[in-house]
Amino acid sequence: MVGVFLLLVGIPYGITSPSNVSRVVLSPVFWPSILAGLMVLIGLGLIASSVALKPAPPPEAAPIPAERGSWARLAAMAVLMVLYLFAIPRIGMVWASIPAFIAVGLLVRTQHRVISVVAAICVPLVLYAFFVHVAGVSIPQGHYVRLP
């Protein structure tokens, strides 16, 4: 419902788009429309899966005990965020994001470590290529290593 509202009312009446935008991806309406459309598709997928699958029995009301070391991992995540913040001006957003994504994968103890590392390398590079070479939006580069 929220996605449909955004597509029909929120975006057309709430966001003004100048007519002289050279690229569609630079239009202020483009990305909100993409996100609202994804919200609609995901909502329809959730509705379809709830209709197709039988409902699961309700979970037990017993509280789940805290996992050992969870506070240490939370503190490590806070330290990681601060390090990421200070690394961006020095080495750039792309090069800071790769080890940060890998560290997050380790902190959340993913079972798919190889996929996590591949995604940590590919996602920042692909996003950089899109925003710089297609959308024409600059991404913060570091002082030491620069991407083309």
Side-chain angles (χ1 to χ4, degrees):
M1 293 300 288
V2 174
V4 172
F5 172 78
L6 287 174
L7 284 173
L8 298 178
V9 179
I11 294 171
Y13 294 107
I15 300 175
T16 57
S17 179
S19 60
N20 62 351
V21 175
S22 62
R23 295 182 180 156
V24 71
V25 293
L26 295 178
S27 171
V29 175
F30 181 73
W31 290 109
S33 298
I34 294 292
L35 292 175
L38 286 173
M39 287 174 66
V40 170
L41 288 175
I42 291 170
L44 291 173
L46 288 172
I47 291 170
S49 68
S50 69
V51 169
L53 301 174
K54 293 181 181 178
E60 296 180 19
I64 300 172
E67 189 176 326
R68 184 179 165 109
S70 58
W71 286 105
R73 289 189 296 132
L74 183 63
M77 183 65 87
V79 169
L80 175 65
M81 285 188 255
V82 172
L83 290 174
Y84 180 70
L85 177 72
F86 285 112
I88 289 175
R90 287 159 184 77
I91 62 174
M93 184 175 279
V94 174
W95 299 117
S97 296
I98 292 171
F101 285 179
I102 292 171
V104 168
L106 294 173
L107 283 173
V108 299
R109 297 181 180 171
T110 181
Q111 296 177 357
H112 309 285
R113 289 189 178 104
V114 173
I115 295 172
S116 176
V117 170
V118 169
I121 294 169
C122 292
V123 169
L125 291 173
V126 168
L127 287 175
Y128 170 80
F130 173 78
F131 279 107
V132 170
H133 298 294
V134 176
V137 177
S138 67
I139 300 293
Q141 296 275 342
H143 297 295
Y144 307 113
V145 181
R146 305 198 54 81
L147 290 169

